[in-house]
Amino acid sequence: MVRKGPYNASRTLKHDLLHTRLNLRFDWNRQHVLGKATLRVKPYFYPQNTLEIDAKGFDIKSVHLIDTLVSADARQRQPATQYVFDKLNYTYTDRRVLRVTLPRTYTRKDTFDIQIEYTAKPNELPFVTGRSEGATTSDKGLYFINHDGSEPNKPRQIWTQGETEANSCWFPTIDTPNEKMTQEIYLTVDSKYRTLSNGRLVSSQNNADGTRTDYWIQNKPHAPYLTMIAVGEFAYVKDEMANGLEVSYYVEPAYEKYARAIFGRTPEMIAFFSNIFGIEYPWDKYSQIAVRNFVSGAMENTTATVHGESVQMDDRQLADENSDAVIAHELAHHWFGNLVTCESWANLPLNESFANYAEYLWFEYARSPYEADMHGQSDLNQYLAEAEQKQEPLIRYGYTDREQMFDHHSYAKGGRVLHLLRKIVGDDAFFAAMNRYLTRNRFGTAELADLRIAFEEVTGEDLTWFFEQYFLSPGHALVKVEPDYASGKVTLKVTQQQDSTTTPIYRLPVKVDVWVKGQKRSYDVVVDKAKQSLTFPAEQRPDLVIFDADHRIIGTVEQEKNRKELVFQYYHADTYQDKYEAITRLEDKRALVDSTVRRMMITAMNDPFWKIRQVAISNFAEYDGPQFQDIERIVQGKVRSDEKPAVRTEAVVTLASFADNVNEPIFREAINDSSYSVVSAALDAYLMNKPGDAAQIVSRFEQVPNGDIITAVANYYAGTPDEKRYDWFVEKLKTLKPQDQYNFLQVFGKYLIKSSPDIQRRAIPLLESTARNDAAHFVRFGAYQVLGLLQDIEGVKAIRRDIRGSERDARLKEMYEQFRDF
């Protein structure tokens, strides 16, 4: 494959950063960090007379070398330490790297301290243009939220996000993943605020000026990008594990009573991962904090994971969903990423693929194999969708921007590659090799070869072929399987159809299940040619043949199956993927006319696994064929009694598609469901026909703190717009969580289109401000779209044109080009 950029090697380390000590204060009005940093360093190997430190956009006040002198103190009869500060010369012309001239040449046997007094101005850093991929939407390191208190519905906060190399925007460091340091941080803040950082809170000192200084120490080495601080008015909820480990949760005060419902499975996760990885959780505590306007989904800072505000949910929202996947993901990073860190961003999958696969492992343990396989199938689909646009090796040194590494290749495909490796070597070897990799490289860094060697040492096998194909080569397998039966044998003609000029012809150790007379025989085979035939004994034509029976292949398997085979597959195959395939490939309404298929789908509506029930119910949407009344009664029963909110919700939507007035009492009843998701769907269905008590019903839900329900209420109001509702729309737009605002904006646009010109003009400044300034790019895009509905108003076209021209987010600029005329 042709490289897209130059070779990106691991950073050459001239010095080793041993320890960082920070004393920090904050100027909220200017959004500045007032800092004093003391760095303990030593030459890495070769003698050095200069020191280069990453420091982006600082005002440097002074740089000193700290010499330590020890003299006898006769009165105390013990040595007394004196510190001498020698001012050092430096250059800082590019305002990115501070180059300090040392007073002499130091060797690798020498250790010295440098103290830098500075002001960091992260909000004044130039924006990185042209970036369209990455884990974060910004890279200024430290963020002031509602810094001047001008947004009444938003708390004032400070928080940091260091990955990839943004922590050097708020403290001087050697900002690279192949560096490890210990640290201590003094945070001086208004006494009303709570702080969080890595490691342990050693002390809190009240000061005479009404401030408080919190002292945090992290005495186990980690990479600089994992350093974090947070400041704000947070509620603090603490759990403690049997071994004394503190597990704590920082949330906005309104969510304090829900903190354990949100995060309370964390102690069990820690115990589970400690057991399965074979290494006890290696850090001094584990905290999780939810912040506003976070620029990533979540971040695994050592001992202190930061989550976006969407993790905060009340009990009714948690009945519909929870954040266990991301909680497990960030926790697993404390082994894969924090304890053992990728030595370069090209090796990022050594962090992310394991954290991704930890989600699968947790679901497999805590929920069911079906739940885990559903999650894994979703990951595979994410990768395959991305692969339509690009195909890269997992480990790739030729990126043009390190943020390109944060994609569905590194995460989703990486997790699937580990699952495949587990299937090939077996569970015992897989987890033993993981343990060896962690043990050998703990508190250090690693590259792909370290992982391969760990697996080879455990298994005794040369696994170069696997790592070459799945980590170092792009693409995936496109397998076509054509079964044929003759003379007591079933033959599978297997073709790998991927483009072999850019993608390997894969070595595929797979399982094949052959069902004859209702009995299954399983075969382990290896496919390693572009075209290959596999032959198996069969007394008669098989009921079903399943190639890749445990669904380990990373790619696609194309195999024609008739209705009879798919029905047999639903009843007899024992994996989630097989059942899902059967009911989705027979979802066509014409197939439901077949009584055998229809009976299968009715059975599936009562399947033990909720997702199968949900999909089967959805397959009857707009159905009006045979057994309609029987099917409708089953769906009605699902609204009332299914244990899973997602199934009850799907049942409401399916009933609504029948356009049958007989279901209105059921919708009215479902409005009182415990699930917000069900209530939202029931509101939409019930209000569709504008019943006489609509206004009374809607008024009950106007202030419910749930985006889906508020959007359902808004949809009703938009149908018969009342100018008095305008202020309600504006209030909700400002208070909804970002993930809910986009859908709400679409309904707001519907309301505005039907409103008077005065109301439309009144909305323009709000929409313009949102489209220009909202922290979430998808919310900005939603506001831009709504402005597009008002283009007949003078000046709106010019506003939209200027918004497009001023936008700095490359992803959004691309979207604007695609929807330019909308």
Side-chain angles (χ1 to χ4, degrees):
M1 181 177 178
V2 178
R3 275 200 195 107
K4 295 182 179 179
Y7 181 82
N8 293 281
S10 302
R11 181 165 172 174
T12 298
L13 296 176
K14 297 179 180 179
H15 284 89
D16 191 6
L17 176 60
L18 305 176
H19 184 74
T20 297
R21 175 174 176 162
L22 302 176
N23 294 74
L24 304 176
R25 293 175 177 265
F26 306 95
D27 184 334
W28 287 80
N29 290 330
R30 293 185 177 86
Q31 301 181 72
H32 291 173
V33 181
L34 312 177
K36 183 182 292 183
T38 303
L39 311 182
R40 178 157 294 165
V41 295
K42 64 185 291 295
Y44 197 85
F45 186 85
Y46 299 106
Q48 303 290 337
N49 58 17
T50 61
L51 171 65
E52 294 185 353
I53 302 169
D54 299 306
K56 301 184 179 82
F58 291 3
D59 285 346
I60 303 295
K61 308 298 182 183
S62 64
V63 180
H64 288 90
L65 177 74
I66 304 178
D67 280 338
T68 304
L69 301 178
V70 179
S71 59
D73 187 320
R75 290 172 298 178
Q76 297 187 20
R77 296 183 179 180
Q78 62 183 15
T81 303
Q82 297 179 335
Y83 298 99
V84 178
F85 294 80
D86 295 327
K87 189 173 183 179
L88 298 178
N89 294 322
Y90 62 87
T91 59
Y92 190 50
T93 54
D94 61 359
R95 291 176 60 81
R96 296 186 65 83
V97 178
L98 179 66
R99 295 174 174 85
V100 180
T101 303
L102 301 174
R104 63 180 177 85
T105 297
Y106 290 85
T107 73
R108 64 182 183 274
K109 297 180 180 180
D110 297 318
T111 299
F112 57 92
D113 290 356
I114 295 289
Q115 187 175 93
I116 303 164
E117 191 170 355
Y118 66 96
T119 298
K121 304 176 178 180
N123 236 37
E124 299 171 28
L125 289 168
F127 190 87
V128 178
T129 59
R131 176 169 290 169
S132 60
E133 297 178 89
T136 65
T137 57
S138 178
D139 57 358
K140 59 186 181 181
L142 184 142
Y143 300 77
F144 288 84
I145 304 304
N146 195 17
H147 69 99
D148 58 1
S150 61
E151 299 178 74
N153 297 312
K154 184 177 291 185
R156 300 179 77 199
Q157 297 175 349
I158 299 171
W159 46 261
T160 60
Q161 163 59 18
E163 194 176 36
T164 50
E165 297 175 10
N167 271 345
S168 50
C169 298
W170 62 276
F171 71 93
T173 189
I174 298 176
D175 206 352
T176 178
N178 60 331
E179 181 60 270
K180 293 285 178 94
M181 66 177 192
T182 54
Q183 69 184 49
E184 50 189 322
I185 300 180
Y186 293 83
L187 295 171
T188 299
V189 299
D190 190 299
S191 58
K192 69 180 180 180
Y193 294 129
R194 192 181 298 276
T195 71
L196 177 64
S197 189
N198 313 93
R200 295 178 294 110
L201 178 62
V202 176
S203 65
S204 291
Q205 177 69 48
N206 292 318
N207 304 315
D209 61 357
T211 63
R212 187 188 72 254
T213 300
D214 290 347
Y215 173 38
W216 293 87
I217 185 164
Q218 164 76 23
N219 57 16
K220 296 177 181 178
H222 68 159
Y225 77 87
L226 295 166
T227 298
M228 70 80 67
I229 60 171
V231 178
E233 294 186 72
F234 297 102
Y236 166 70
V237 178
K238 176 184 173 182
D239 282 332
E240 188 171 298
M241 296 185 64
N243 62 3
L245 180 74
E246 176 188 323
V247 182
S248 54
Y249 324 121
Y250 292 70
V251 294
E252 293 176 31
Y255 289 92
E256 180 175 8
K257 61 183 177 181
Y258 307 116
R260 283 194 175 89
I262 297 167
F263 295 115
R265 292 162 298 285
T266 304
E268 186 180 1
M269 287 184 187
I270 293 174
F272 168 68
F273 287 137
S274 294
N275 178 61
I276 204 165
F277 298 154
I279 293 179
E280 286 292 320
Y281 177 80
W283 309 98
D284 293 330
K285 74 156 191 321
Y286 189 55
S287 299
Q288 296 175 87
I289 188 169
V291 303
R292 291 291 186 100
N293 294 356
F294 195 49
V295 293
S296 184
M299 179 61 204
E300 68 272 14
N301 310 294
T302 310
T303 78
T305 287
V306 178
H307 292 274
E309 66 193 272
S310 63
V311 75
Q312 298 182 132
M313 292 181 276
D314 63 27
D315 285 342
R316 292 184 69 182
Q317 290 169 302
L318 288 164
D320 291 329
E321 59 177 330
N322 63 39
S323 299
D324 277 11
V326 69
I327 291 170
H329 181 109
E330 306 307 328
L331 172 60
H333 269 309
H334 282 71
W335 287 266
F336 295 94
N338 299 11
L339 180 64
V340 179
T341 309
C342 62
E343 70 166 21
S344 67
W345 299 119
N347 283 275
L348 180 71
L350 295 181
N351 293 6
E352 297 301 345
S353 63
F354 278 101
N356 177 277
Y357 194 52
E359 302 171 32
Y360 180 97
L361 294 173
W362 171 251
F363 286 146
E364 185 181 44
Y365 162 80
R367 297 185 182 179
S368 71
Y370 268 40
E371 196 86 36
D373 284 339
M374 182 181 73
H375 194 73
Q377 187 65 38
S378 174
D379 284 341
L380 178 61
N381 291 339
Q382 288 176 12
Y383 159 69
L384 291 174
E386 184 174 83
E388 293 180 5
Q389 306 300 321
K390 68 172 186 179
Q391 295 186 16
E392 304 274 3
L394 288 189
I395 306 298
R396 58 202 114 130
Y397 292 91
Y399 57 74
T400 57
D401 184 336
R402 58 182 178 267
E403 298 297 326
Q404 293 168 352
M405 293 297 303
F406 294 83
D407 59 8
H408 291 309
H409 285 60
S410 292
Y411 288 71
K413 184 183 181 183
R416 293 292 83 201
V417 167
L418 293 176
H419 185 68
L420 172 60
L421 183 56
R422 176 186 173 189
K423 290 293 183 182
I424 290 173
V425 303
D427 279 13
D428 288 350
F430 181 77
F431 292 111
M434 286 173 64
N435 175 265
R436 181 171 295 219
Y437 168 78
L438 290 171
T439 302
R440 178 171 292 165
N441 300 292
R442 61 187 293 142
F443 298 114
T445 61
E447 59 179 309
L448 182 65
D450 297 302
L451 183 65
R452 176 181 57 78
I453 290 168
F455 272 87
E456 290 182 340
E457 288 177 346
V458 166
T459 63
E461 298 179 23
D462 188 327
L463 292 170
T464 301
W465 68 269
F466 182 91
F467 283 79
E468 286 284 345
Q469 288 192 348
Y470 291 103
F471 282 98
L472 297 174
S473 301
H476 54 270
L478 302 176
V479 181
K480 184 175 182 179
V481 179
E482 298 171 283
D484 185 46
Y485 174 77
S487 305
K489 292 187 293 187
V490 60
T491 300
L492 302 185
K493 179 183 175 184
V494 182
T495 307
Q496 294 195 47
Q497 298 179 310
Q498 64 270 16
D499 182 355
S500 61
T501 62
T502 58
T503 304
I505 295 300
Y506 287 94
R507 177 179 175 184
L508 302 172
V510 297
K511 288 184 176 293
V512 177
D513 285 350
V514 180
W515 295 81
V516 178
K517 296 182 179 181
Q519 299 297 311
K520 180 180 73 172
R521 290 184 179 177
S522 295
Y523 302 91
D524 291 312
V525 300
V526 176
V527 174
D528 55 8
K529 299 178 179 63
K531 294 183 178 182
Q532 191 168 341
S533 291
L534 306 171
T535 302
F536 309 98
E539 302 172 40
Q540 63 184 43
R541 183 174 296 278
D543 304 306
L544 176 68
V545 176
I546 301 180
F547 180 84
D548 189 28
D550 57 3
H551 301 277
R552 64 177 68 173
I553 287 179
I554 301 163
T556 63
V557 176
E558 177 189 345
Q559 179 182 343
E560 286 297 320
K561 297 173 184 175
N562 60 37
R563 286 183 184 179
K564 184 178 179 181
E565 290 171 322
L566 289 169
V567 170
F568 184 93
Q569 180 170 305
Y570 171 78
Y571 285 115
H572 294 85
D574 53 8
T575 69
Y576 163 75
Q577 293 95 327
D578 290 329
K579 282 195 171 187
Y580 183 84
E581 180 191 35
I583 63 172
T584 53
R585 287 179 64 172
L586 293 173
E587 66 184 357
D588 190 284
K589 298 298 180 290
R590 290 170 295 183
L592 293 175
V593 175
D594 183 324
S595 61
T596 305
V597 174
R598 189 168 63 255
R599 191 180 310 117
M600 180 209 75
M601 208 69 72
I602 291 172
T603 301
M605 288 198 289
N606 291 296
D607 193 89
F609 187 56
W610 67 268
K611 187 65 178 179
I612 300 300
R613 299 198 302 274
Q614 181 189 29
V615 175
I617 290 168
S618 73
N619 286 347
F620 283 109
E622 300 181 355
Y623 180 75
D624 61 357
Q627 293 184 270
F628 172 79
Q629 290 184 337
D630 294 337
I631 290 164
E632 186 176 39
R633 278 194 295 271
I634 294 172
V635 178
Q636 289 169 343
K638 290 299 172 184
V639 173
R640 291 186 166 123
S641 63
D642 198 278
E643 64 181 5
K644 192 71 175 180
V647 177
R648 301 199 300 274
T649 301
E650 196 68 56
V652 169
V653 173
T654 296
L655 287 183
S657 76
F658 295 159
D660 189 345
N661 291 338
V662 73
N663 290 310
E664 286 192 6
I666 294 178
F667 300 148
R668 182 70 167 75
E669 179 184 332
I671 288 170
N672 298 309
D673 196 277
S674 60
S675 158
Y676 280 142
S677 174
V678 175
V679 172
S680 172
L683 277 173
D684 280 334
Y686 184 67
L687 297 173
M688 189 184 305
N689 294 323
K690 297 182 172 54
D693 61 350
Q696 175 189 348
I697 293 293
V698 168
S699 66
R700 283 175 46 195
F701 295 96
E702 280 186 335
Q703 305 303 328
V704 172
N706 176 266
D708 290 339
I709 290 179
I710 291 300
T711 301
V713 171
N715 197 45
Y716 174 76
Y717 286 154
T720 54
D722 180 347
E723 292 190 3
K724 295 178 182 177
R725 299 295 180 191
Y726 175 80
D727 290 337
W728 179 87
F729 273 93
V730 171
E731 175 201 354
K732 293 306 168 188
L733 181 59
K734 291 180 178 179
T735 57
L736 285 174
K737 293 180 180 179
Q739 67 268 25
D740 298 319
Q741 285 179 313
Y742 179 83
N743 288 336
F744 185 82
L745 276 164
Q746 308 311 302
V747 181
F748 187 32
K750 176 181 172 182
Y751 168 81
L752 291 174
I753 281 294
K754 296 184 178 181
S755 296
S756 68
D758 287 343
I759 289 292
Q760 293 176 351
R761 281 190 287 269
R762 189 175 166 191
I764 290 171
L766 171 65
L767 293 169
E768 179 183 0
S769 176
T770 304
R772 291 186 187 278
N773 304 317
D774 197 273
H777 77 282
F778 53 87
V779 176
R780 298 201 299 278
F781 181 63
Y784 173 85
Q785 286 179 303
V786 178
L787 281 171
L789 301 174
L790 308 178
Q791 288 189 98
D792 291 341
I793 299 176
E794 184 178 355
V796 171
K797 288 184 179 179
I799 290 171
R800 279 166 48 91
R801 187 164 52 248
D802 189 65
I803 288 170
R804 290 198 303 270
S806 302
E807 179 59 56
R808 299 181 297 179
D809 188 301
R811 294 169 300 180
L812 199 45
K813 290 174 74 71
E814 183 178 342
M815 292 167 69
Y816 285 154
E817 288 303 312
Q818 292 176 357
F819 296 92
R820 191 181 189 93
D821 298 325
F822 176 76

